[in-house]
Amino acid sequence: MTITPLSAARRGPAALAVMLASGFAGLGYQIVWTQQAALWLGHEAAAVLAVVTAFFGGLAVGAWWFGAIIEHSPRPRRWYVGCELLIAGWSLLLALAMAPASDALLGFIGPQPTPFRQWTLAFGGTFLLLLPATAAMGATLPAMARITAHWQDQGRAVASLYAANTFGAVIGVMAIAFLLVPMLGLRATALVCVALNLACALAAWRAFPAAVPVTPVSVVARPADPLLARRLFVTGLLGIGYEVVVVRVIGEVAEDTVYTFALLLAVYLVGSAAGAALYRRIVVRDGERLGRWLLWALALSGLIGAASLWAADRVHAAVLAALPPGMGSALSAEATLALLAFALPTLAMGAMFSHLATQASRAGMGLGRALGLNTLGAALAAPLFGVLLLPLFGAGGALLLVAAGYFTVMTPLSADRPTLRAAVPTLALLLLAGLLPPLAFVEIPPGGRLLRYRDGVMAAVSVTEDANGIRSLRINNRQQEGSSATQRVDGRQALMPLLLHPAPERVLFLGLGTGTTAATAAIDRHLRVDAVELLPEVIAAARLFAQPEIPAAPDGQPRMIAADARRYVRASDKRYDVIVSDNFHPARSGSGALYTVEHFAAVRARLADDGLFCQWLPLHQLDADSLRSIIQAFLRVYPDGRALLANYGLETPTLGLIAQRRPQVFDTAAIDTRIAAASSPPPARYGLEDAYALLGSFIAGPSALAHYAGDAPANTDDRPIVAYRAPRLVYAPDTRPAERLLALLEALSVSPAELIGADAPMPAQARLAAYRQARDRFIRIGRDVQPGGNADALLAQIGGPLLAVLRGSPDFRPAYDPLLGMATALAASDPEQAAALLQTLDQIQPARGEAAAALGALRSATPTP
């Protein structure tokens, strides 16, 4: 069958439509590959830098290598169709083989690489893995420009094609982040992009003629203008460098979720596309003069955009205050920050590239070489700005270096009299970099102070102290990793899984936080404790949370491992008796990958034969659907899993998923023996006085967990449900943590037989059942407490209910302590009421000596009438 190409009038719109679809697919691949690369690189920030470098590096290779050949070819349609088919074919191969490929790269990088090895393999390995597809992408624009060259002005055609391709990328990034990946998963989304590439190939084959005239411009290869070449390279370097730094800064003010990154990227691309479209309407008479004006526009607009970042926290708060609560309002606030930082600079960037590409085509350099130089600079931006300059000079200094860089390419290096127009602004900016306050966001509490701030490659880490001496650790200002006020609960999160194991020797903690959890375990000299933490800055900051009242751990304990937790358990060959995973914020960028089926399976492979795994979950940061998906993923690997509560607080409840490699019931006598043997620190200090205090924290057995998970989809590497679902609770909380905890308690249950066995003595089973009922009543009482008032008013409000809880379960210590505190507070104002309460406590729980001792002290201090 003979295919008749479209008429000349219809070829222009067809070319734009094809480039738009190709841009959609290209950015779709970038998002998918970034999330897949994060699974072996460890952190999504590292994956973004690596994929950006690989993406632009491949574009540079394809544009430079194939561009000159395409510009000489009379059959550019074949080249374009071939490139689209190669992109589709290699992307299809990656969709099917990304897991084994990432396993191979993981083997090269190892569990604990040096920074040089990690970044070398991150950038180099990702570049080689994606190269066939990205190189073909780099040749598509030169091929389409060559196809259209004989029916429209080449310079204007490049601007139009670039704008269409970039607008397609905008549609792609929004559709994929908000629709395709949440609905279909990563692999299916990649297959959608493969289908688009195939459609582009078919459309180009049908729409455009097989051969085009060979014009003089297409066969003449002139020496490259040094100034033009330098401008192409430097503008690519600085444009992506600016993007890298701004995304990092806004991540400290916004919520730093997958939606945050998608919005920032979309705004950046919209501005670039609009700049290219605007350039098409500019009448160019003096190309060199226009180039200098655009460089001035780039430098000044970059300064304006950067200046807005110093007020980003106030702008973000103002937008949120002006809009009704909801996810749309939260995203609007993040989009506002992106517009302020990106709108003007990217408009100038899009116009600048179009201008330089036009000048290159007219000067005989060729679009391929021009695009190759520009994308080569863009490829180097991520390692230069993200890994070197940002930690070295800070975000503010790095942004001023971007502006200074634009001034340096305004005049030729060989000019006899370099103009002061470039030298003076550059020197002024460098001076300004030393005078401006750091571009850092740290919320210091009233009357408090900043103890430590470090801006690392992947995040900024700060430690603050409030007026009461409470210290808090934050990552990127938004994510609190713990405080000195939560050390009791943090210690429980170490001791609970350790006491459940019959005889632990080697322990692994995934995630460090303030270091309290790992440090509590490391005090036991019989344990060898490893703690894995991604950010070296967190390891250094954890020293500020040492507890002087607790004995120091032996030298070298815990052993700190600066590595990604997920990568470590996949690449290490060590086995552990107990593995404890921190309660990572599920909505933060990259954290959802630590709650997947694949990660839980990798942890299982690191467990010893009788090993135990505990995954802590922050209930106050999880909606019910995300929790169900995590539990479903956990049960896929550990079908006999159970659940317990780390604490009974209502504001920050923490749930633990417990699994044993060889499931078995717990022995109360053995647990009591281990509790009695643990003297430094004593478990009673953390509310773990006996086996009932520990086993009474369980809220679900395997059957209850399976029923609660229901038919919820499991969170997997390919379907990262939590990464896309959990942010909705951050943006628009629909319930309070206390309400979610109480709803969970209503939905879950555990029988004593599931914990201590059906053949356990009936008194033991009855005590455990009574403890569980007392616990649930105690939590409900806490929900109804009205804050404020003195001890007398508080006793009148909850004294009776708490005493009823104790009568129901004399083992339940959490209700004993607040009543003891109220009695102590009443001793001065109402000694009779205090004495009556202490006497009642002593009668209910005579084994505890605190009430009797306090009663004796009260009577000795009270004068005899």
Side-chain angles (χ1 to χ4, degrees):
M1 183 179 70
T2 302
I3 297 176
T4 304
L6 295 178
S7 64
R10 297 171 61 190
R11 290 174 194 165
L16 296 179
V18 168
M19 291 303 290
L20 186 141
S22 183
F24 183 111
L27 254 292
Y29 291 131
Q30 185 175 352
I31 291 175
V32 170
W33 292 339
T34 296
Q35 296 200 27
Q36 291 174 330
L39 301 176
W40 68 274
L41 289 174
H43 193 277
E44 196 149 332
V48 168
L49 296 178
V51 172
V52 165
T53 299
F55 209 82
F56 283 107
L59 293 179
V61 170
W64 183 274
W65 186 264
F66 296 113
I69 301 174
I70 292 170
E71 287 159 11
H72 290 72
S73 173
R75 298 184 179 275
R77 186 184 72 173
R78 286 186 179 179
W79 282 98
Y80 184 84
V81 171
C83 287
E84 292 287 359
L85 292 176
L86 177 56
I87 296 168
W90 191 257
S91 301
L92 176 62
L93 180 63
L94 287 178
L96 300 176
M98 180 61 85
S102 63
D103 285 342
L105 289 168
L106 187 69
F108 282 115
I109 202 168
Q112 192 181 2
T114 63
F116 177 79
R117 179 181 179 84
Q118 175 179 340
W119 288 111
T120 299
L121 290 173
F123 289 122
T126 308
F127 171 75
L128 294 175
L129 184 65
L130 307 181
L131 181 59
T134 53
M137 290 179 192
T140 54
L141 181 59
M144 187 59 73
R146 178 75 182 91
I147 289 172
T148 63
H150 69 286
W151 76 70
Q152 56 183 320
D153 176 76
Q154 182 72 348
R156 298 186 184 279
V158 170
S160 299
L161 294 172
Y162 175 70
N165 192 250
T166 309
F167 273 124
V170 174
I171 300 171
V173 73
M174 298 301 289
I176 285 166
F178 287 87
L179 183 64
L180 292 182
V181 173
M183 284 180 52
L184 305 176
L186 297 176
R187 179 181 294 181
T189 299
L191 294 179
V192 170
C193 296
V194 168
L196 276 176
N197 288 128
L198 294 175
C200 288
L202 178 62
W205 188 261
R206 294 181 63 90
F208 306 124
V212 299
V214 179
T215 62
V217 172
S218 66
V219 297
V220 174
R222 302 177 188 173
D225 178 359
L227 179 60
L228 180 59
R230 190 156 56 95
R231 286 177 176 174
L232 282 162
F233 175 83
V234 171
T235 52
L237 173 72
L238 299 178
I240 299 301
Y242 182 85
E243 179 194 10
V244 167
V245 178
V246 170
V247 167
R248 168 65 180 280
V249 173
I250 292 181
E252 297 185 37
V253 177
E255 294 296 345
D256 193 25
T257 70
V258 290
Y259 300 117
T260 303
F261 179 71
L263 278 175
L264 295 176
L265 186 56
V267 172
Y268 183 92
L269 292 170
V270 166
S272 300
L278 179 64
Y279 176 80
R280 192 177 183 279
R281 299 181 177 275
I282 298 176
V283 178
V284 180
R285 294 188 177 89
D286 185 344
E288 174 56 26
R289 184 179 182 185
L290 178 60
R292 285 196 298 270
W293 275 108
L294 286 174
L295 286 170
W296 272 99
L298 277 169
L300 295 177
S301 62
L303 286 174
I304 294 171
S308 72
L309 295 174
W310 266 271
D313 54 345
R314 296 187 292 276
V315 171
H316 186 262
V319 175
L320 288 177
L323 297 174
M327 184 172 177
S329 300
L331 293 175
S332 297
E334 295 185 353
T336 301
L337 297 180
L339 285 169
L340 291 174
F342 281 143
L344 291 178
T346 55
L347 196 69
M349 289 175 195
M352 187 74 217
F353 173 75
S354 299
H355 175 69
L356 294 175
T358 300
Q359 295 297 98
S361 296
R362 292 175 177 172
M365 178 190 293
L367 177 59
R369 291 189 176 183
L371 182 60
L373 284 169
N374 187 259
T375 50
L376 177 61
L380 296 177
L384 179 61
F385 281 88
V387 179
L388 296 177
L389 296 182
L390 198 152
L392 187 61
F393 296 105
L399 290 172
L400 291 178
L401 285 174
V402 169
Y406 285 122
F407 287 116
T408 63
V409 290
M410 284 188 177
T411 56
L413 291 174
S414 58
D416 295 333
R417 293 183 179 180
T419 63
L420 294 179
R421 286 180 297 180
V424 171
T426 301
L427 293 174
L429 286 172
L430 294 177
L431 178 62
L432 184 62
L435 299 177
L436 282 175
L439 184 50
F441 300 95
V442 182
E443 295 179 11
I444 301 176
R449 57 178 180 146
L450 177 65
L451 297 181
R452 184 183 182 90
Y453 180 87
R454 294 291 184 273
D455 207 350
V457 174
M458 288 175 279
V461 176
S462 62
V463 178
T464 59
E465 185 178 71
D466 67 13
N468 298 317
I470 301 298
R471 296 180 176 183
S472 298
L473 172 67
R474 285 188 173 88
I475 296 176
N476 281 346
N477 191 44
R478 305 288 296 179
Q479 184 174 340
Q480 182 162 321
E481 290 294 299
S483 76
S484 55
T486 62
Q487 289 176 335
R488 184 174 184 270
V489 174
D490 295 341
R492 282 174 63 93
Q493 291 180 203
L495 293 177
M496 294 176 85
L498 288 173
L499 291 171
L500 290 171
H501 190 280
E505 295 181 0
R506 293 188 61 91
V507 186
L508 174 65
F509 289 91
L510 302 178
L512 185 64
T514 61
T516 302
T517 306
T520 302
I523 296 170
D524 187 339
R525 297 179 181 274
H526 299 95
L527 293 178
R528 287 175 291 172
V529 179
D530 291 344
V532 177
E533 170 56 47
L534 175 66
L535 302 177
E537 297 80 15
V538 170
I539 295 176
R543 300 189 186 101
L544 297 176
F545 292 87
Q547 302 177 69
E549 68 276 11
I550 293 181
D555 290 341
Q557 291 289 309
R559 185 172 74 97
M560 299 295 183
I561 302 172
D564 170 65
R566 181 184 167 101
R567 186 179 66 224
Y568 181 83
V569 296
R570 289 179 66 191
S572 175
D573 57 359
K574 294 182 179 179
R575 301 184 74 185
Y576 295 89
D577 300 307
V578 175
I579 297 178
V580 181
S581 185
D582 200 6
N583 50 336
F584 304 101
H585 196 310
R588 300 304 178 208
S589 182
S591 295
L594 294 165
Y595 298 125
T596 65
V597 171
E598 292 80 0
H599 176 60
F600 292 149
V603 170
R604 182 183 177 86
R606 299 276 68 77
L607 286 174
D609 291 340
D610 59 349
L612 181 144
F613 172 46
C614 176
Q615 173 66 69
W616 294 112
L617 299 173
L619 285 182
H620 55 290
Q621 297 164 346
L622 274 169
D623 63 284
D625 289 339
S626 298
L627 178 60
R628 288 189 176 94
S629 289
I630 293 174
I631 292 175
Q632 192 77 275
F634 191 82
L635 293 177
R636 289 272 185 93
V637 182
Y638 309 101
D640 295 295
R642 306 178 178 99
L644 53 69
L645 289 175
N647 62 79
Y648 304 144
L650 295 176
E651 294 304 317
T652 57
T654 302
L655 178 73
L657 299 178
I658 298 290
Q660 299 158 295
R661 190 173 177 87
R662 293 189 300 200
Q664 54 189 310
V665 295
F666 302 108
D667 186 335
T668 56
I671 292 175
D672 282 335
T673 300
R674 291 197 292 278
I675 289 175
S679 57
S680 296
R685 174 191 179 95
Y686 299 92
L688 300 170
E689 301 87 0
D690 54 28
Y692 295 99
L694 176 58
L695 298 180
S697 298
F698 279 88
I699 63 172
S703 58
L705 281 180
H707 183 266
Y708 180 76
D711 58 355
N715 189 46
T716 67
D717 287 351
D718 184 59
R719 291 204 65 191
I721 294 166
V722 172
Y724 287 87
R725 173 70 200 186
R728 298 178 183 275
L729 184 70
V730 175
Y731 287 124
D734 54 353
T735 57
R736 295 174 57 240
E739 296 170 351
R740 295 196 289 275
L741 173 59
L742 290 169
L744 189 65
L745 291 176
E746 291 289 337
L748 297 177
S749 64
V750 60
S751 67
E754 290 179 293
L755 298 176
I756 59 177
D759 57 349
M762 290 306 297
Q765 295 196 43
R767 287 177 67 183
L768 192 55
Y771 193 103
R772 178 176 61 81
Q773 293 172 2
R775 177 203 66 210
D776 292 352
R777 291 181 64 186
F778 176 77
I779 293 174
R780 293 188 185 95
I781 291 169
R783 174 195 58 184
D784 300 328
V785 171
Q786 298 297 321
N790 53 28
D792 187 63
L794 188 61
L795 180 63
Q797 183 183 168
I798 62 172
L802 288 181
L803 287 171
V805 167
L806 283 180
R807 290 188 178 96
S809 174
D811 296 305
F812 191 71
R813 178 64 183 247
Y816 184 94
D817 291 334
L819 288 169
L820 183 64
M822 282 184 271
T824 303
L826 284 170
S829 60
D830 193 343
E832 290 186 7
Q833 188 175 13
L837 179 56
L838 290 171
Q839 190 170 5
T840 303
L841 287 176
D842 188 43
Q843 292 170 353
I844 295 175
Q845 293 193 358
R848 306 189 191 279
E850 294 97 324
L855 183 60
L858 178 62
R859 285 172 174 170
S860 63
T862 303
T864 303

